Amino acid sequence: MMQLNRTTSNTAKKSPERIMQFGGGNFLRAFVDWMFDILNKQTDFDGSIVVIKPTQRGDYIELKEQEGLFHVALDGVRKGSLVSEVTLVESISRVIQPYTQWEEYLELAQNPDMRFIISNTTEAGIKFSVSDTIEKKPPHEFPAKLTIWLHHRFQHFNGQKDKGCIILPCELIEQNGDVLKSTILQYASHWELGTEFIHWIEEANYFCNTLVDRIVSGYPDERSKEILKEIGYYDSLLVAGEDYHSWIIQGEDIVQTELPFSKTNLNVQFVEDSTDYREMKVRILNGAHTAMVPIGYLSGLRTVKEVMDDTLVSTFINDLLSQEIGPTLKNFPKDVVDEFIHETLDRFRNPTLKHFLISISLNSTSKFVARLLPTLKDCIKNNRQLPKRIVFALSSLFRFYQGTYNNENIALNDNPEALESFSKHWKSHQNESITYLQMVSYLLRDTTIWGENLDTINGLSEAITENLRAIEKHGIATVIKQITDHKSLV
């Protein structure tokens, strides 16, 4: 079996580099890069992607070795029929690691063809840090890196308006384009980069609020031999996902003109306001994912499919969506919300996807803030009581972040501050220095984790403490059944 590269696959031609992409993980490759590959093959767009490694660790070595090539395996139901297809994606031209290739990163800003900027740095990725300075090569935060790049471009082209960029962040945060723009302007002001640069950012660049939707499960271990035999190459970056996809882009008319998705069959919608679409998708699909990770994992389940096959946990997730999350989406008719819930659960049941819960668990604390905390607050506002299923999901997250369960270590992956806080307070509790309630209260007050003091929510610390004690005493399955059956534990 041949190693995949541009020589062995006879795909030496590369389009002009027009897109800079922060991140090269499974989702971006199986969603954005796959879309731009189709755009290149079906229209006259003719643009390739330069992938920027947003963090210091790692170098996307496999992507470099395969010269930007990889396959995407998609499965699902399309117009009532099962579909399964494997596509060679050719849209990535090269990789730049700014921590070791800073000058090459800046040189990219001098490319007159560069027009589009994509990012997916998770919900925790778009933030301002006062510790970042313009002298750092590079600074730590993604928006700081981008600010320096844009400033270099501004200087190189003497502020020409037609050398601005169309920026499409894919992070699942509300009004992601507006937030990124605001953060860049904050850096520009903090670093005193001048009013002319600030005006250029505001007038020559287009920051789009976007909403992305596709379940991407990663490398298909169980099916890889079959797929690799079919394609005839060894591909360490083979990534599997569902056929369903949706990209909603809120931006000015020029964005739609320069991105000719309308000439393809891709499900890309350009809208005047993405707010309601985002809220429904993030609360239902992403909220369900975030809730099922700790609950499913502590229940001994390891994939989304296993969660859906488990009657007890899948019933809990269904009730969470229909009884707590769905009723908060008041800008859509109930039947529309119910249909979206039904479609989401069907997507979770896709038998070909092996979506590991531990993979979805990345940055679960910031995901809870973005995906479930607004619903929790709305439930309190609407019903004058805590939503017991969302609270139990948060309680399970607390237990998950202890780092071990049933004598098994859990591979936690979150920002260091959150992990350190959970580790510190769990150890204090286990050493009997603090009570369960004190531990929970201290963690809820940690604004570095939640962005606010959640201990001010009436009854929340007591409810989480009760759930943690019940899990310890009775086991998680018994507590889930108690919540589902509306019974009390004795």
Side-chain angles (χ1 to χ4, degrees):
M1 188 174 294
M2 292 185 293
Q3 176 63 48
L4 180 63
N5 57 50
R6 291 188 177 268
T7 300
T8 59
S9 62
N10 195 29
T11 55
K13 179 184 178 297
K14 297 180 184 179
S15 298
E17 292 179 343
R18 301 181 60 199
I19 307 120
M20 180 169 68
Q21 176 178 294
F22 287 85
N26 288 331
F27 180 79
L28 280 180
R29 289 190 293 108
F31 186 81
V32 171
D33 302 343
W34 171 82
M35 285 195 180
F36 275 104
D37 183 69
I38 291 175
L39 207 59
N40 284 333
K41 292 172 180 175
Q42 296 185 5
T43 75
D44 60 357
F45 178 77
D46 196 28
S48 69
I49 299 166
V50 180
V51 171
I52 308 298
K53 184 72 171 65
T55 57
Q56 186 171 5
R57 187 176 61 181
D59 197 22
Y60 293 151
I61 186 64
E62 295 90 351
L63 198 56
K64 288 183 176 180
E65 289 176 346
Q66 296 184 184
E67 299 181 295
L69 300 179
F70 59 92
H71 290 84
V72 174
L74 302 175
D75 299 274
V77 178
R78 191 186 304 168
K79 295 181 179 180
S81 301
L82 289 172
V83 294
S84 181
E85 61 184 29
V86 180
T87 302
L88 174 63
V89 175
E90 309 169 27
S91 54
I92 294 176
S93 63
R94 58 184 170 127
V95 174
I96 294 177
Q97 168 53 285
Y99 286 86
T100 57
Q101 299 172 281
W102 181 247
E103 294 304 320
E104 192 172 347
Y105 168 71
L106 290 183
E107 285 176 8
L108 198 63
Q110 300 172 197
N111 177 358
D113 293 328
M114 191 56 62
R115 179 61 166 168
F116 304 92
I117 297 173
I118 311 287
S119 68
N120 185 27
T121 56
T122 80
E123 286 87 336
I126 302 181
K127 63 181 180 182
F128 174 84
S129 174
V130 70
S131 63
D132 269 332
T133 67
I134 198 168
E135 290 78 22
K136 288 185 177 180
K137 300 179 180 180
H140 178 69
E141 301 296 344
F142 147 63
K145 296 182 183 74
L146 181 55
T147 302
I148 293 175
W149 188 93
L150 288 168
H151 186 248
H152 189 77
R153 187 172 182 83
F154 165 78
Q155 290 181 315
H156 180 77
F157 290 107
N158 298 314
Q160 291 177 234
K161 284 191 175 182
D162 64 347
K163 292 301 183 287
C165 294
I166 293 172
I167 301 158
L168 302 154
C170 297
E171 290 82 356
L172 287 172
I173 61 175
E174 191 169 356
Q175 305 299 310
N176 48 19
D178 294 340
V179 173
L180 180 55
K181 179 180 180 180
S182 175
T183 308
I184 287 173
L185 290 173
Q186 190 175 3
Y187 276 114
S189 176
H190 180 67
W191 291 337
E192 299 180 345
L193 298 180
T195 56
E196 290 186 5
F197 174 62
I198 289 175
H199 289 155
W200 182 79
I201 289 292
E202 293 178 326
E203 297 172 6
N205 296 269
Y206 304 89
F207 291 81
C208 302
N209 295 320
T210 78
L211 179 63
V212 297
D213 192 358
R214 164 171 272 171
I215 296 173
V216 176
S217 56
Y219 190 84
D221 289 294
E222 294 183 352
R223 303 168 54 215
S224 61
K225 288 184 179 179
E226 173 189 344
I227 296 173
L228 294 177
K229 182 179 179 181
E230 175 188 343
I231 62 179
Y233 296 97
Y234 176 74
D235 182 358
S236 61
L237 294 177
L238 171 66
V239 58
E242 63 174 341
D243 178 67
Y244 178 89
H245 63 280
S246 170
W247 197 0
I248 294 173
I249 299 172
Q250 176 186 325
E252 298 187 32
D253 291 343
I254 191 173
V255 179
Q256 185 172 358
T257 300
E258 294 194 31
L259 289 172
F261 285 115
S262 60
K263 297 179 180 179
T264 73
N265 290 323
L266 293 170
N267 185 22
V268 179
Q269 298 179 65
F270 293 89
V271 300
E272 293 184 1
D273 189 349
S274 61
T275 305
D276 290 344
Y277 295 93
R278 178 202 173 275
E279 184 179 45
M280 182 163 67
K281 185 263 180 179
V282 170
R283 291 199 180 196
I284 291 177
L285 186 140
N286 300 110
H289 265 160
T290 299
M292 75 167 61
V293 164
I295 295 171
Y297 199 95
L298 297 179
S299 298
L301 310 170
R302 293 296 178 263
T303 68
V304 173
K305 179 64 165 50
E306 288 178 12
V307 167
M308 298 312 299
D309 288 341
D310 185 281
T311 301
L312 183 64
V313 182
S314 64
T315 299
F316 181 94
I317 297 299
N318 182 81
D319 292 347
L320 168 74
L321 293 175
S322 62
Q323 298 181 34
E324 293 183 357
I325 296 178
T328 68
L329 297 166
K330 298 187 179 298
N331 290 331
F332 289 96
K334 184 179 183 301
D335 61 330
V336 173
V337 175
D338 290 344
E339 178 62 22
F340 192 81
I341 290 173
H342 178 75
E343 289 179 352
T344 297
L345 294 173
D346 277 349
R347 291 168 64 190
F348 289 165
R349 295 186 183 97
N350 188 329
T352 61
L353 294 182
K354 195 163 187 177
H355 205 178
F356 286 95
L357 299 180
I358 200 67
S359 298
I360 307 172
S361 73
L362 173 67
N363 293 328
S364 282
T365 54
S366 60
K367 286 177 177 176
F368 182 89
V369 171
R371 302 173 177 188
L372 287 171
L373 183 57
T375 307
L376 183 146
K377 291 179 177 179
D378 280 352
C379 287
I380 295 172
K381 180 181 178 181
N382 298 336
N383 306 321
R384 299 181 183 275
Q385 63 181 11
L386 291 167
K388 59 185 179 181
R389 295 173 187 84
I390 296 177
V391 171
F392 184 71
L394 181 57
S395 307
S396 300
L397 183 62
F398 272 51
R399 184 61 185 83
F400 185 77
Y401 270 50
Q402 182 185 330
T404 61
Y405 191 72
N406 285 343
N407 298 316
E408 177 187 343
N409 290 329
I410 301 172
L412 301 176
N413 194 350
D414 208 316
N415 71 74
E417 294 81 7
L419 294 178
E420 173 60 27
S421 185
F422 273 99
S423 176
K424 169 187 171 183
H425 292 304
W426 267 110
K427 285 178 181 176
S428 295
H429 169 65
Q430 291 166 330
N431 294 334
E432 299 184 351
S433 301
I434 58 175
T435 66
Y436 246 138
L437 182 60
Q438 287 174 321
M439 178 192 72
V440 171
S441 181
Y442 290 152
L443 284 168
L444 287 176
R445 294 175 195 174
D446 193 335
T447 57
T448 63
I449 299 176
W450 316 109
E452 61 182 288
N453 179 4
L454 296 186
D455 202 30
T456 60
I457 299 177
N458 187 37
L460 182 59
S461 58
E462 291 82 1
I464 292 175
T465 301
E466 181 181 348
N467 284 333
L468 289 173
R469 286 174 173 158
I471 292 172
E472 182 179 358
K473 182 178 181 180
H474 302 284
I476 191 165
T478 300
V479 186
I480 295 172
K481 192 174 189 308
Q482 169 257 326
I483 294 173
T484 301
D485 294 344
H486 306 285
K487 294 180 180 179
S488 299
L489 289 170
V490 293

